[in-house]
Coordinates of all heavy atoms in Angstrom, one line a residue:
M1 N -54.0 166.8 -109.1 CA -54.8 167.3 -108.0 C -54.1 167.0 -106.8 O -53.7 165.8 -106.5 CB -56.2 166.9 -108.1 CG -57.2 167.5 -107.2 SD -57.7 169.1 -107.4 CE -58.6 169.0 -109.0
K2 N -53.9 168.0 -105.8 CA -53.4 167.8 -104.6 C -54.4 168.1 -103.5 O -55.3 168.9 -103.8 CB -52.2 168.8 -104.4 CG -51.1 168.7 -105.5 CD -50.2 167.5 -105.3 CE -49.1 167.4 -106.3 NZ -48.1 166.5 -106.0
E3 N -54.2 167.5 -102.3 CA -55.1 167.9 -101.2 C -54.4 167.9 -99.9 O -53.4 167.2 -99.6 CB -56.3 166.9 -101.2 CG -56.0 165.4 -100.8 CD -57.1 164.6 -100.9 OE1 -58.3 165.0 -101.1 OE2 -56.9 163.4 -100.6
F4 N -55.0 168.6 -98.9 CA -54.5 168.8 -97.6 C -55.7 168.7 -96.6 O -56.6 169.4 -96.7 CB -53.8 170.1 -97.3 CG -53.4 170.4 -95.9 CD1 -52.5 169.7 -95.3 CD2 -54.2 171.4 -95.2 CE1 -52.1 170.0 -94.0 CE2 -53.8 171.6 -93.9 CZ -52.9 171.0 -93.3
H5 N -55.5 167.7 -95.6 CA -56.6 167.6 -94.6 C -55.9 168.1 -93.3 O -54.9 167.6 -92.7 CB -56.9 166.1 -94.4 CG -57.6 165.6 -95.6 ND1 -59.0 165.6 -95.6 CD2 -57.1 165.1 -96.7 CE1 -59.3 165.0 -96.7 NE2 -58.2 164.7 -97.5
C6 N -56.5 169.3 -92.7 CA -56.0 169.9 -91.6 C -55.9 169.0 -90.4 O -54.9 169.2 -89.5 CB -56.8 171.1 -91.3 SG -56.1 172.2 -90.0
G7 N -56.8 168.1 -90.3 CA -56.9 167.2 -89.2 C -55.5 166.3 -89.1 O -55.2 165.7 -87.9
S8 N -54.9 166.2 -90.1 CA -53.6 165.5 -90.1 C -52.4 166.2 -89.4 O -51.5 165.8 -88.9 CB -53.1 165.1 -91.5 OG -52.6 166.3 -92.2
L9 N -52.8 167.6 -89.2 CA -51.9 168.5 -88.4 C -52.5 169.0 -87.1 O -51.8 169.1 -86.1 CB -51.5 169.7 -89.3 CG -50.5 170.7 -88.8 CD1 -49.1 170.1 -88.6 CD2 -50.3 171.8 -89.8
V10 N -53.8 169.3 -87.2 CA -54.5 169.7 -86.0 C -55.6 168.8 -85.7 O -56.7 168.7 -86.3 CB -55.1 171.2 -86.2 CG1 -55.8 171.7 -85.0 CG2 -54.0 172.2 -86.6
P11 N -55.4 167.8 -84.7 CA -56.3 166.8 -84.4 C -57.7 167.4 -84.1 O -57.9 168.4 -83.4 CB -55.7 166.1 -83.1 CG -54.3 166.4 -83.3 CD -54.1 167.8 -83.9
G12 N -58.8 166.7 -84.8 CA -60.1 167.1 -84.6 C -60.6 168.2 -85.5 O -61.8 168.4 -85.6
C13 N -59.7 168.7 -86.4 CA -60.2 169.7 -87.4 C -60.6 168.9 -88.7 O -59.9 168.1 -89.2 CB -59.1 170.7 -87.7 SG -59.6 171.9 -88.9
D14 N -61.8 169.2 -89.1 CA -62.3 168.5 -90.3 C -62.1 169.3 -91.7 O -62.5 168.7 -92.7 CB -63.9 168.3 -90.2 CG -64.2 167.4 -89.0 OD1 -63.4 166.3 -88.7 OD2 -65.2 167.5 -88.5
W15 N -61.5 170.4 -91.5 CA -61.2 171.2 -92.8 C -60.2 170.5 -93.8 O -59.4 169.9 -93.4 CB -60.7 172.6 -92.4 CG -60.6 173.6 -93.6 CD1 -61.5 174.4 -94.1 CD2 -59.4 173.8 -94.3 NE1 -60.9 175.1 -95.1 CE2 -59.7 174.8 -95.4 CE3 -58.0 173.3 -94.3 CZ2 -58.8 175.2 -96.3 CZ3 -57.2 173.7 -95.2 CH2 -57.5 174.7 -96.2
H16 N -60.5 170.6 -95.1 CA -59.6 170.1 -96.1 C -59.8 171.0 -97.3 O -60.7 171.7 -97.5 CB -59.9 168.7 -96.3 CG -61.3 168.5 -97.0 ND1 -62.4 168.3 -96.3 CD2 -61.7 168.4 -98.2 CE1 -63.5 168.2 -97.0 NE2 -63.0 168.1 -98.2
T17 N -58.8 170.9 -98.2 CA -58.8 171.6 -99.5 C -58.1 170.8 -100.5 O -57.3 170.0 -100.1 CB -58.2 173.0 -99.4 OG1 -58.4 173.8 -100.5 CG2 -56.7 173.0 -99.1
R18 N -58.4 171.1 -101.7 CA -57.8 170.5 -102.9 C -57.6 171.4 -104.0 O -58.5 172.3 -104.2 CB -58.4 169.1 -103.3 CG -59.8 169.3 -103.7 CD -60.5 168.0 -104.4 NE -60.1 166.9 -103.8 CZ -60.5 165.7 -104.3 NH1 -61.3 165.6 -105.2 NH2 -60.0 164.6 -103.6
A19 N -56.6 171.4 -104.8 CA -56.3 172.2 -106.0 C -55.4 171.6 -106.8 O -54.7 170.6 -106.4 CB -55.7 173.5 -105.4
D20 N -55.3 172.1 -108.1 CA -54.3 171.5 -109.0 C -52.9 171.7 -108.7 O -52.1 170.8 -108.8 CB -54.6 172.2 -110.4 CG -55.9 171.7 -111.0 OD1 -56.3 170.5 -110.7 OD2 -56.5 172.5 -111.9
E21 N -52.7 172.9 -108.1 CA -51.2 173.2 -107.8 C -50.9 173.1 -106.2 O -51.8 173.6 -105.4 CB -50.9 174.6 -108.3 CG -51.0 174.7 -109.7 CD -50.1 173.9 -110.5 OE1 -48.9 173.7 -110.0 OE2 -50.5 173.5 -111.7
E22 N -49.8 172.6 -105.8 CA -49.4 172.6 -104.4 C -49.4 174.0 -103.9 O -49.7 174.1 -102.7 CB -48.0 172.0 -104.3 CG -47.7 171.8 -102.8 CD -46.3 171.1 -102.7 OE1 -46.2 169.8 -103.1 OE2 -45.4 171.6 -102.1
A23 N -48.9 174.9 -104.7 CA -48.8 176.3 -104.1 C -50.2 176.9 -103.7 O -50.3 177.5 -102.7 CB -48.3 177.3 -105.3
E24 N -51.2 176.5 -104.5 CA -52.6 176.9 -104.1 C -53.1 176.3 -102.8 O -53.7 176.8 -102.0 CB -53.6 176.7 -105.3 CG -55.0 177.2 -105.0 CD -55.2 178.7 -104.7 OE1 -54.3 179.5 -104.9 OE2 -56.3 178.9 -104.1
V25 N -52.8 175.0 -102.6 CA -53.1 174.2 -101.5 C -52.5 174.9 -100.3 O -53.1 175.1 -99.3 CB -52.8 172.7 -101.6 CG1 -53.0 172.0 -100.3 CG2 -53.5 172.0 -102.7
M26 N -51.2 175.2 -100.5 CA -50.4 175.9 -99.4 C -51.1 177.2 -99.0 O -51.3 177.6 -97.8 CB -49.0 176.1 -99.8 CG -48.1 174.9 -99.8 SD -47.8 174.2 -98.1 CE -47.1 175.5 -97.3
R27 N -51.5 178.0 -100.0 CA -52.0 179.4 -99.7 C -53.3 179.2 -98.9 O -53.5 179.8 -97.9 CB -52.3 180.0 -101.1 CG -52.8 181.4 -100.8 CD -53.3 182.1 -102.1 NE -54.5 181.5 -102.5 CZ -55.8 181.6 -101.9 NH1 -55.9 182.4 -100.7 NH2 -56.9 181.1 -102.3
R28 N -54.1 178.2 -99.3 CA -55.4 178.0 -98.6 C -55.2 177.6 -97.3 O -55.9 177.9 -96.3 CB -56.2 177.0 -99.4 CG -56.6 177.6 -100.7 CD -57.5 176.5 -101.5 NE -57.8 176.9 -102.8 CZ -58.4 176.2 -103.6 NH1 -58.9 174.9 -103.4 NH2 -58.8 176.6 -104.9
A29 N -54.2 176.6 -97.1 CA -53.9 176.1 -95.7 C -53.4 177.1 -94.8 O -53.9 177.2 -93.6 CB -52.9 174.9 -95.9
V30 N -52.5 177.9 -95.3 CA -52.0 179.1 -94.4 C -53.1 180.0 -94.0 O -53.3 180.4 -92.9 CB -50.8 179.8 -95.1 CG1 -50.5 181.0 -94.5 CG2 -49.6 178.9 -95.2
E31 N -54.0 180.4 -95.0 CA -55.1 181.2 -94.7 C -56.0 180.6 -93.6 O -56.5 181.2 -92.7 CB -55.8 181.4 -96.0 CG -57.1 182.3 -95.8 CD -57.8 182.5 -97.2 OE1 -57.3 183.3 -98.0 OE2 -58.8 182.0 -97.4
H32 N -56.2 179.3 -93.8 CA -57.0 178.6 -92.8 C -56.4 178.6 -91.4 O -57.1 178.8 -90.4 CB -57.2 177.1 -93.2 CG -57.9 176.2 -92.2 ND1 -59.2 176.3 -91.9 CD2 -57.3 175.3 -91.4 CE1 -59.4 175.3 -90.9 NE2 -58.3 174.8 -90.7
M33 N -55.1 178.4 -91.4 CA -54.4 178.4 -90.1 C -54.5 179.7 -89.3 O -54.7 179.8 -88.2 CB -53.0 178.0 -90.2 CG -52.7 176.6 -90.6 SD -53.5 175.4 -89.5 CE -52.1 174.4 -89.2
R34 N -54.5 180.8 -90.1 CA -54.6 182.1 -89.6 C -56.0 182.4 -89.1 O -56.2 182.9 -87.9 CB -54.2 183.2 -90.6 CG -52.7 183.2 -90.9 CD -52.4 184.4 -91.8 NE -51.0 184.7 -91.8 CZ -50.2 184.7 -93.0 NH1 -50.8 184.5 -94.0 NH2 -48.9 184.7 -92.9
E35 N -57.1 182.1 -90.0 CA -58.4 182.5 -89.7 C -59.1 181.6 -88.7 O -59.8 182.0 -87.9 CB -59.2 182.5 -91.0 CG -58.8 183.6 -91.9 CD -59.6 183.6 -93.3 OE1 -60.4 182.7 -93.4 OE2 -59.3 184.6 -94.1
T36 N -58.8 180.3 -88.8 CA -59.6 179.3 -88.0 C -58.8 179.0 -86.6 O -59.3 178.8 -85.6 CB -59.8 178.1 -88.7 OG1 -60.6 178.4 -89.9 CG2 -60.6 177.0 -87.9
H37 N -57.5 178.8 -86.7 CA -56.7 178.4 -85.6 C -55.8 179.5 -84.9 O -55.1 179.2 -83.9 CB -55.8 177.2 -86.0 CG -56.4 176.0 -86.5 ND1 -57.4 175.3 -85.7 CD2 -56.5 175.5 -87.8 CE1 -57.9 174.3 -86.5 NE2 -57.4 174.4 -87.7
G38 N -56.1 180.7 -85.4 CA -55.5 181.9 -84.7 C -54.0 182.0 -84.8 O -53.4 182.7 -84.1
E39 N -53.4 181.4 -85.8 CA -51.9 181.5 -86.0 C -51.7 182.8 -86.6 O -52.1 183.1 -87.7 CB -51.4 180.4 -87.0 CG -51.6 179.0 -86.4 CD -50.6 178.7 -85.2 OE1 -49.5 179.3 -85.2 OE2 -51.0 177.8 -84.5
T40 N -51.0 183.7 -85.9 CA -50.6 184.9 -86.3 C -49.2 185.1 -87.1 O -49.0 185.8 -88.0 CB -50.6 186.0 -85.3 OG1 -49.6 185.6 -84.2 CG2 -51.9 186.2 -84.6
V41 N -48.3 184.1 -86.8 CA -47.0 184.0 -87.4 C -46.9 182.6 -88.0 O -47.1 181.6 -87.1 CB -46.0 184.3 -86.4 CG1 -44.6 184.0 -87.2 CG2 -46.0 185.7 -85.8
I42 N -46.8 182.4 -89.2 CA -46.5 181.2 -89.9 C -45.1 180.9 -90.1 O -44.4 181.5 -91.0 CB -47.3 181.1 -91.2 CG1 -48.8 181.5 -91.0 CG2 -47.2 179.7 -91.8 CD1 -49.6 180.6 -90.1
R43 N -44.5 180.1 -89.2 CA -43.1 179.8 -89.3 C -42.7 178.8 -90.3 O -43.6 178.1 -90.8 CB -42.5 179.4 -87.9 CG -42.7 180.4 -86.9 CD -42.1 180.0 -85.5 NE -41.8 180.9 -84.6 CZ -42.7 181.7 -84.0 NH1 -44.0 181.6 -84.3 NH2 -42.4 182.6 -83.1
E44 N -41.5 178.7 -90.8 CA -41.0 177.8 -91.8 C -41.4 176.4 -91.3 O -41.7 175.5 -92.1 CB -39.5 178.0 -92.0 CG -39.0 177.0 -93.0 CD -39.5 177.3 -94.3 OE1 -39.9 178.5 -94.7 OE2 -39.6 176.4 -95.2
T45 N -41.3 176.1 -90.0 CA -41.6 174.8 -89.6 C -43.1 174.4 -89.8 O -43.4 173.2 -90.1 CB -41.3 174.6 -88.0 OG1 -42.0 175.6 -87.3 CG2 -39.8 174.6 -87.7
M46 N -43.9 175.4 -89.7 CA -45.4 175.2 -90.0 C -45.5 174.8 -91.5 O -46.3 174.0 -91.9 CB -46.2 176.4 -89.6 CG -47.6 176.2 -89.9 SD -48.5 175.0 -89.0 CE -48.7 175.9 -87.4
I47 N -44.8 175.7 -92.4 CA -44.9 175.4 -93.8 C -44.4 174.0 -94.1 O -45.1 173.3 -94.9 CB -44.1 176.5 -94.5 CG1 -44.6 177.9 -94.3 CG2 -44.0 176.2 -96.0 CD1 -45.9 178.2 -94.9
E48 N -43.4 173.6 -93.5 CA -42.8 172.3 -93.7 C -43.8 171.2 -93.3 O -44.0 170.2 -94.0 CB -41.5 172.2 -93.1 CG -40.4 172.9 -93.6 CD -39.1 172.9 -92.8 OE1 -39.0 172.3 -91.7 OE2 -38.1 173.7 -93.2
A49 N -44.5 171.4 -92.1 CA -45.4 170.5 -91.6 C -46.6 170.4 -92.7 O -47.1 169.2 -92.8 CB -45.9 170.9 -90.3
I50 N -47.1 171.5 -93.1 CA -48.2 171.5 -94.1 C -47.7 170.7 -95.3 O -48.4 169.8 -95.9 CB -48.7 172.8 -94.3 CG1 -49.3 173.5 -93.2 CG2 -49.7 172.9 -95.5 CD1 -49.6 175.0 -93.3
R51 N -46.6 171.2 -95.9 CA -46.2 170.6 -97.1 C -46.0 169.1 -97.1 O -46.3 168.4 -98.0 CB -44.8 171.2 -97.6 CG -44.3 170.8 -98.9 CD -43.2 171.5 -99.3 NE -43.5 172.9 -99.9 CZ -43.0 174.0 -99.4 NH1 -42.0 174.0 -98.5 NH2 -43.4 175.2 -99.8
S52 N -45.4 168.6 -95.9 CA -45.2 167.1 -95.7 C -46.6 166.3 -95.7 O -46.5 165.2 -95.9 CB -44.4 166.8 -94.5 OG -45.2 167.0 -93.4
R53 N -47.7 167.1 -95.6 CA -49.1 166.4 -95.4 C -49.8 166.6 -96.7 O -51.0 166.1 -96.7 CB -49.7 166.9 -94.2 CG -49.1 166.4 -92.8 CD -49.5 167.2 -91.6 NE -49.1 166.5 -90.4 CZ -47.9 166.8 -89.8 NH1 -47.0 167.6 -90.4 NH2 -47.6 166.3 -88.8
I54 N -49.4 167.3 -97.6 CA -50.1 167.5 -98.9 C -49.9 166.1 -99.6 O -48.8 165.7 -99.9 CB -49.5 168.6 -99.7 CG1 -49.9 169.9 -99.0 CG2 -50.2 168.7 -101.0 CD1 -49.4 171.2 -99.6
E55 N -50.9 165.6 -100.1 CA -51.0 164.3 -100.8 C -51.6 164.5 -102.2 O -52.4 165.4 -102.5 CB -51.8 163.4 -100.1 CG -51.3 163.0 -98.6 CD -52.1 162.2 -97.8 OE1 -53.4 162.0 -98.2 OE2 -51.7 161.5 -96.9
K56 N -51.4 163.5 -102.9 CA -52.2 163.4 -104.2 C -53.5 163.0 -103.9 O -53.8 162.2 -103.2 CB -51.5 162.2 -105.1 CG -52.0 162.2 -106.4 CD -51.3 161.2 -107.3 CE -51.8 161.4 -108.7 NZ -52.5 160.4 -109.5
A57 N -54.4 163.9 -104.6 CA -55.9 163.7 -104.2 C -56.4 162.3 -104.7 O -56.0 161.7 -105.7 CB -56.7 164.7 -104.9
R58 N -57.2 161.8 -103.8 CA -57.7 160.4 -104.2 C -59.0 160.7 -105.1 O -59.6 161.8 -104.9 CB -58.2 159.7 -102.9 CG -57.2 159.3 -102.1 CD -57.6 158.9 -100.7 NE -58.0 160.2 -99.9 CZ -57.8 160.4 -98.7 NH1 -57.6 159.4 -97.9 NH2 -58.1 161.6 -98.1
D59 N -59.3 159.9 -106.1 CA -60.3 160.0 -107.1 C -61.7 159.9 -106.2 O -61.8 158.9 -105.5 CB -60.3 159.0 -108.1 CG -59.1 159.3 -109.0 OD1 -58.7 160.5 -109.2 OD2 -58.5 158.4 -109.6
A60 N -62.5 160.9 -106.5 CA -63.9 160.6 -105.8 C -64.6 159.6 -106.6 O -64.8 159.8 -107.9 CB -64.6 162.0 -105.9
A61 N -65.2 158.7 -106.0 CA -65.9 157.6 -106.7 C -67.3 157.5 -106.5 O -67.7 158.1 -105.5 CB -65.3 156.2 -106.3

C-alpha cells in the first residue's frame, strides 16, 4: 500500500490518498492538483515531486 499527502508538496493542504499501486496514487494526485489547486499543466517536475513524496503506507492501528 502506498500513500501521498498533498501537504508535503502544498503546505496547508490536508488531502491525502492511498492505493495498492504507485500508478493509482499518481493518477489521483494529478487529478487532485488539477481540480483543487488549479494546475492546468502537469509538468515532469511536478510528477517527480509527487513521486518523491509517495511513501509506503503506515499501518492504521
